[in-house]
Amino acid sequence: MKKDGKLDYLEMAAGNGSIDSVKAFYSAAFGWTFTDYGPSYSAFEEGLDGGFDGATPPGSKPLPVLFSTNLEKSLETVTSAGGKIVRPIFSFPGGRRFHFTDPAGNELAIWSEV
């Protein structure tokens, strides 16, 4: 159910002809599926929550964060799908996570409660 004022969509870059490699990456790493809207736009429906980080410098790009029940397995899957690890697994209040970039250079994180 959609509600006024609630986060509803996350749009990430896939420029310079990288849309096919980005789709292949997310499909291989997380099983995502896509609906194409022309040659340069593809939509996904994979859930969304959010938060603000007061320690992040102004002007920083948004950081999409995905969930995992097995962080080490997710790291292996991301790496084998072609993602580049930019911050190895680390602990934070509430769990652990790592950061990676996709083939288009977007930075994301994956977190786990344990």
Side-chain angles (χ1 to χ4, degrees):
M1 173 182 206
K2 294 182 183 278
K3 290 186 166 189
D4 289 344
K6 301 297 180 186
L7 292 171
D8 186 54
Y9 204 78
L10 175 65
E11 195 167 80
M12 296 185 291
N16 299 324
S18 64
I19 194 159
D20 289 335
S21 61
V22 168
K23 287 169 48 179
F25 170 78
Y26 286 97
S27 179
F30 307 112
W32 289 14
T33 59
F34 298 88
T35 301
D36 293 332
Y37 294 97
S40 64
Y41 198 93
S42 192
F44 56 86
E45 297 178 17
E46 303 299 338
L48 179 67
D49 282 332
F52 291 98
D53 183 356
T56 301
S60 297
K61 294 178 182 178
L63 178 68
V65 181
L66 308 173
F67 179 76
S68 173
T69 56
N70 185 329
L71 202 58
E72 286 74 15
K73 181 167 176 52
S74 293
L75 189 137
E76 290 176 22
T77 304
V78 164
T79 303
S80 66
K84 293 185 173 58
I85 305 305
V86 296
R87 191 164 177 196
I89 294 174
F90 65 96
S91 295
F92 69 96
R96 300 180 307 136
R97 74 184 197 193
F98 68 91
H99 293 208
F100 67 95
T101 55
D102 68 14
N106 296 302
E107 183 173 342
L108 292 89
I110 299 181
W111 84 282
S112 178
E113 294 174 323
V114 290

